[in-house]
Each structure stands twice: as structure tokens, then as C-alpha cells.
Amino acid sequence: MQNKFDVIVVGGGPGGSSTTLYCASKGYKVLLIDKKKFPRDKICGDALGGKGLKVMKDHNLLEQIDKAPESEKVYGVIFSSPKGKVLEVGNPPDQNTGKPPAGYVCPRKVTDNILFQAAKKNAAKTLEEHTVLDIIKEDGKVVGVKVRDNEGNVEEYMANVVVGADGASSLVGVKVGAEKVEPEHHVVALRQYWEGVEGMSDKIELHFMEGILPGYFWIFPLPNGKANVGIGILTKFQREQRIDLKKSLEEAIEHPMMKDRFKNAKPLEDAKGWGLPLGSKRRKGYGDGFLLVGDACSLIDPFSGEGVGNALISGKLAASVIDNAHKKGDFSAETLKEYDELLKEEMDEELQTMYKLQKLGRHKFLLNLIIDKAVRNKEIRDFISNTLTSEEGIDYRKKMASPGFWLKVLIS
Ligand SMILES: Cc1cc2nc3c(=O)[nH]c(=O)nc-3n(C[C@H](O)[C@H](O)[C@H](O)COP(=O)(O)OP(=O)(O)OC[C@H]3O[C@@H](n4cnc5c(N)ncnc54)[C@H](O)[C@@H]3O)c2cc1C
């Protein structure tokens, strides 16, 4: 019985750590497995918004992010349009404090380690540097996993529920037969840490440049003159237009708008790439004996590319469904499908709204129009500012995705 748990969580990123923390807090015996040893890097823009921060706060982990010497507080976004107009938008003030709330840019090596160490403390057992090779099925139900350690020893672990939190190329997803992520619902992106980029501020920067729409070039500030720099584009367009993303990144850095800012800067690593499965088409995240959370379930915001917040929230929802399943003593798809209903309630409206905005962003002239108008019109600027907060922002984003809003912008 040594190898039998209530829940097995495959992957210790934000999705897996969150699932572990919430399941453990409900008293379940969790086995957490990751193929890497933490702290480990994860290719990412490193931006942490309101949604993710709220879950971190739930687990009293926000202070660690706030105090980490590697993390930088940010208070808004700088956008630039394809024709080069620059728009600065601050976070709207918090209703209680009257001050704009801070977001963070914190290397995932740090953020994920904070989450993982908390999860490890609460898990019944944690295996690092152990790779899940396969799932184990009995009568069509997932009942465990086959795991290989660094020395090549293979062991089997059993549980009532297996949670696939193993990221964008989820092995659990493949093994349970989850549908492939289509290029229309997938982004390819590169990240490169730099130091010495000039003109940084307390805002993250999203530059909508010709040739990489729908997508953007980003510069996110980090402490000590460092920056997370990167580029991402919808895979469908990258394939259709045979875009060499490394070349696009070099071109963006050489762009007349950027050239001077990078003239004394140096890259701290080779550009590294990874995929983003978008929530514009969520994967079916449940079945007999299993759930998928985070990127494994394709939950990334289709406009901004943020996935940490939804990964953390999906872990919370998964834990509540796992709790109900234990109370019923039934781990069938019929019971676990509650997870799909919760995801639908929690994020589908927002994901679909952001998909609409992403589609609008494919039109260069609309991006030029809104950024142009917002630079000159405070009402539009304030409107965009309100879209930046995740809770109240949804109503603003919904309006922004409607034809009426664009008509107003056009005639403003
Ligand atoms: C270039 C880029 C930029 C991004 N920028 C941002 C951003 O600024 N803000 C934001 O919110 N989101 C961003 N995202 C999205 C974000 O990185 C993901 O949504 C987030 O990491 C999802 O968390 P997760 O826990 O689902 O998966 P992951 O963070 O990928 O964690 C999966 C874990 O599973 C482990 N694993 C995988 N396979 C196995 C196996 N077989 N056995 C055992 N362990 C395994 C891995 O080692 C890993 O630790 C970006 C993504 C990319 C690619």
C-alpha cells in the first residue's frame, strides 16, 4: 500500500503545485511528481497578473514573491501600434486603497520554486527528477502511473485520481487520448533574458509589430537592469507564412523603435522557444480517473498569453472536484465531469472574449486605430486601463470585443 495515494499529480509547475496545495489542505494524500529538480527554469514572459496573485495570496505565498530580490513590481502596460504610436496605460486604482495595484515580473525559476516548495511541504510524498512514462489503466479507468527515476529504475504508483499538470506537451494528455491542439489555438514563442536595455519603466511593454500579428514583441522589466524579452505569434500564421521566429526576434530588436534601446544591451542566453496551448479551444480535461489542469488542459489567455493565473485556478477547481469524488467514492468520468462545468463557469466567457480581441488584433488597421485614438482620448485610455484588471476588467473586455465599441472609437 506504500505506493497507493488519493491523488497523483504529474508536474510541479503552477497547475500541479496549486492542485497539490488545495488537495492537501482538504486532507488528501497526494503524490507530486516532476521530471526536473526545483528550482528549475520555465520559458515564460514571467509576468504575474491579478488572477495568479490572488491564488498565491490564498496560500500566503504572495509576500515571498514581493520580497524576492529577483522580482520587479509593475503598474501598467505600454503598447505600441504597427505604425509606431506608443500608448502608456497605468493599472486603475484599487477601490479599497485608492492606489494602483502592482503586478509582478518574477522569473519562473523563482515563482515556481516558491509554489513547488509549499506544495512539497504539504504533499504526502514528492518525487523530483522522476519522469512519468505512462499511465496505468484498469477496465478503461486511469488508476496510476509508471515512473522512471534518474538511474533508470521504473516503479508504479496508484491513486484514485491522476492529475495531468505536465504542461504544454502533456504526456498524460497524450496517453488519455486528449485531442491535439490546433495551430489556430496555439502560439509559438521565444524568450531571451537581456541586460542593459535602455528606457525601461515600471510597466510591461507589448509591441504589436508588422509581420508578427496576431502576436507581439515584449519587453518585461526585471531588477538590476535585466529584462525578459520575447516574441510570440499564432502557430497557424507562423506556419502559413513560414516565419523564422529567431529572425523575427532579431529584426524586432533591430527595429528603428528599439535599436537605440538595445545598443548597449547584451543577451544573457540564446533565445529559447516553447509553445502556448490557448484556451480559445479548451481541451476536454476529465475522464475516468483523471483530470488535466493548466497548459495540459489548454487554458492560456488567447490575447495576452498569460497562463499562470488560469493554471493556478484550474488546480483549485480540480481539487474541489476531487474532494466531491472522494465523498461520493466515485472517480468515473460521470463524476469528474463537474470539473468541465466549473472551468466553463469560471473562465470560458473570458477566454472567448479574449479570443475575439485576438482576432480583432489580426487587423493592423484596428490596432493602429485604437492606439492612435487612445493616445489622444482620455476616455478610451481609461477604458483600456480598466480592461487590465482581471476581475472588473471582464466587462470592459466584453465591451471592447463588441462592434459598438469600435464604432465609438471610429467616430471619437
Ligand atoms: C514564451 C512564453 C511566454 C509566456 N509568458 C507568460 C507570462 O508572462 N505570464 C503568464 O501568466 N503566462 C505566460 N506563459 C504561459 C505559462 O508559461 C504557462 O501557461 C504555465 O507555465 C502553465 O503552467 P503549468 O503548471 O500548466 O505547466 P508548466 O509550468 O509547464 O509545468 C509543467 C511541469 O510538468 C513537468 N513535467 C512535464 N512532463 C513530465 C513528465 N512526463 N513527468 C514528470 N513531470 C513532467 C515539467 O518539468 C514542469 O515542471 C508563457 C508561455 C511561454 C511559452
Side-chain angles (χ1 to χ4, degrees):
M1 294 311 278
Q2 204 185 336
N3 285 0
K4 167 84 185 159
F5 295 83
D6 297 323
V7 187
I8 291 175
V9 178
V10 183
S17 291
S18 171
T19 310
T20 304
L21 280 164
Y22 283 110
C23 283
S25 75
K26 293 175 196 296
Y28 295 106
K29 203 175 145 197
V30 183
L31 169 64
L32 172 62
I33 310 170
D34 202 289
K35 63 182 178 187
K36 298 271 175 64
K37 170 121 190 92
F38 282 71
R40 59 103 178 92
D41 184 27
K42 157 76 178 81
I43 299 161
C44 186
D46 299 332
L48 268 176
K51 235 188 227 184
L53 295 172
K54 211 168 155 201
V55 177
M56 305 277 294
K57 210 170 170 185
D58 251 13
H59 298 292
N60 298 319
L61 300 173
L62 186 54
E63 207 184 338
Q64 287 189 55
I65 296 282
D66 190 71
K67 296 251 156 67
E70 300 88 346
S71 90
E72 183 79 1
K73 282 198 183 87
V74 285
Y75 293 93
V77 186
I78 295 173
F79 299 97
S80 79
S81 68
K83 79 176 186 204
K85 263 266 156 52
V86 178
L87 170 69
E88 276 201 40
V89 194
N91 291 345
D94 183 275
Q95 279 170 357
N96 299 322
T97 63
K99 288 186 195 155
Y104 292 83
V105 181
C106 183
R108 290 287 298 278
K109 198 169 181 175
V110 175
T111 304
D112 288 18
N113 194 43
I114 291 171
L115 281 159
F116 181 80
Q117 296 307 335
K120 188 174 172 177
K121 243 188 229 162
N122 288 277
K125 186 179 173 100
T126 302
L127 298 171
E128 290 174 76
E129 297 182 281
H130 280 66
T131 302
V132 170
L133 301 175
D134 207 347
I135 53 172
I136 301 166
K137 279 185 167 185
E138 263 170 26
D139 302 328
K141 283 189 181 160
V142 178
V143 292
V145 292
K146 204 177 265 186
V147 182
R148 187 187 57 214
D149 70 14
N150 258 1
E151 268 122 45
N153 307 306
V154 176
E155 238 182 307
E156 294 187 349
Y157 293 90
M158 314 306 273
N160 297 324
V161 184
V162 171
V163 179
D166 46 348
S169 35
S170 170
L171 175 109
V172 177
V174 170
K175 296 288 179 181
V176 297
E179 59 277 38
K180 272 198 171 158
V181 182
E182 298 158 25
E184 166 68 14
H185 303 286
H186 188 268
V187 160
V188 273
L190 290 179
R191 176 209 73 188
Q192 191 170 41
Y193 286 121
W194 281 72
E195 74 181 351
V197 181
E198 282 166 28
M200 308 285 288
S201 69
D202 63 356
K203 296 185 177 64
I204 60 168
E205 298 177 39
L206 307 182
H207 300 284
F208 298 103
M209 289 173 158
E210 195 106 29
I212 49 160
L213 300 176
Y216 55 77
F217 170 65
W218 75 79
I219 307 176
F220 294 172
L222 284 164
N224 305 318
K226 291 188 182 152
N228 181 319
V229 173
I231 198 163
I233 186 168
L234 202 69
T235 303
K236 179 179 159 196
F237 289 87
Q238 185 259 337
R239 286 195 190 155
E240 281 172 8
Q241 294 161 36
R242 299 189 180 183
I243 291 172
D244 176 345
L245 216 51
K246 265 200 175 155
K247 217 165 132 219
S248 298
L249 180 63
E250 285 162 15
E251 282 167 7
I253 288 165
E254 284 294 311
H255 190 279
M257 266 178 75
M258 297 296 155
K259 209 174 171 172
D260 278 353
R261 296 182 59 190
F262 279 84
K263 70 175 186 288
N264 297 315
K266 66 167 200 276
L268 299 170
E269 61 173 352
D270 286 338
K272 291 177 181 154
W274 200 250
L276 291 87
L278 304 179
S280 41
K281 191 170 177 189
R282 265 199 299 113
R283 262 179 161 176
K284 181 179 166 221
Y286 69 95
D288 286 320
F290 77 88
L291 293 173
L292 302 175
V293 300
D295 281 8
C297 194
S298 207
L299 299 179
I300 295 180
D301 182 315
F303 183 81
S304 70
E306 285 178 83
V308 172
N310 280 349
L312 289 167
I313 289 172
S314 62
K316 181 177 182 175
L317 302 180
S320 95
V321 173
I322 289 169
D323 188 25
N324 288 341
H326 274 90
K327 284 175 183 152
K328 268 172 87 175
D330 175 18
F331 306 96
S332 67
E334 192 49 34
T335 294
L336 296 179
K337 86 166 184 240
E338 187 198 353
Y339 175 60
D340 193 62
E341 287 151 21
L342 294 181
L343 282 177
K344 193 171 171 185
E345 217 172 277
E346 177 77 33
M347 44 184 97
D348 274 7
E349 189 181 29
E350 169 143 44
L351 289 170
Q352 287 312 312
T353 303
M354 297 316 270
Y355 184 37
K356 275 192 201 156
L357 285 178
Q358 183 230 74
K359 281 192 183 158
L360 288 169
R362 296 176 192 190
H363 303 286
K364 199 169 65 176
F365 92 94
L366 286 179
L367 282 170
N368 282 329
L369 174 76
I370 188 153
I371 292 179
D372 239 22
K373 295 268 181 169
V375 169
R376 286 184 275 128
N377 184 326
K378 185 170 179 313
E379 204 187 328
I380 299 178
R381 241 176 8 252
D382 288 346
F383 190 92
I384 295 175
S385 164
N386 280 309
T387 65
L388 300 180
T389 54
S390 50
E391 276 171 63
E392 305 81 26
I394 177 68
D395 294 330
Y396 287 91
R397 282 172 233 153
K398 265 195 307 201
K399 276 188 205 152
M400 204 173 186
S402 74
F405 170 82
W406 291 90
L407 195 64
K408 236 171 117 180
V409 171
L410 200 64
I411 58 175
S412 66

